[in-house]
Amino acid sequence: MKFWKSPPPKRTLQFGEGNFLRAFVDYWFDLANEKADWNGKCVLVQPIAIKINPADNVVVALHPIAKGTAVPVENTTVTAVEDIPQGHKMAIAPIKTGENVIKYGFPIGHATADAVPGT
């Protein structure tokens, strides 16, 4: 057994849910640590929302998002102000009444009321 002076660095992979896939990735990380002194470990990251295009002012909930949940978006975090059902949009920037809602990088409609981030 090797003892490291500092904790091993984390290599982050983002993939879908599933125990088989996780076990497969863990196996290869363990093998790399054993054979090549890679000194890493697997960290499971399951996104709860996705920003489809860099120009979007909304994200889409991949899972239900409970009010008060911090949602990581690029280099920041947006807190859900209300419950967001799976598949629904959540504003990540202020959107004023009449302004475009941007999804897929294109306007998909207009805001019918002011939307603060997290709604």
Side-chain angles (χ1 to χ4, degrees):
M1 174 177 270
K2 295 182 180 176
F3 295 95
W4 306 100
K5 292 182 181 177
S6 62
K10 295 178 183 178
R11 271 81 164 164
T12 303
L13 297 178
Q14 183 172 318
F15 50 86
E17 299 175 21
N19 289 335
F20 176 77
L21 181 57
R22 172 63 191 265
F24 182 74
V25 172
D26 278 337
Y27 168 76
W28 285 104
F29 273 60
D30 289 343
L31 192 62
N33 287 333
E34 272 181 34
K35 304 263 184 201
D37 293 330
W38 190 54
N39 190 25
K41 65 181 182 178
C42 182
V43 178
L44 180 62
V45 176
Q46 296 178 334
I48 58 174
I50 185 170
K51 184 175 180 183
I52 298 170
N53 186 287
D56 293 352
N57 57 8
V58 295
V59 293
V60 178
L62 299 175
H63 303 280
I65 301 172
K67 178 180 179 178
T69 301
V71 179
V73 180
E74 295 175 336
N75 297 325
T76 189
T77 301
V78 178
T79 302
V81 177
E82 57 192 30
D83 290 338
I84 309 291
Q86 181 176 356
H88 286 245
K89 298 175 291 300
M90 181 179 83
I92 56 172
I95 306 171
K96 299 209 180 281
T97 303
E99 288 184 343
N100 288 333
V101 175
I102 309 295
K103 182 177 172 188
Y104 310 111
F106 298 98
I108 61 165
H110 302 287
T112 58
D114 288 353
V116 297
T119 59

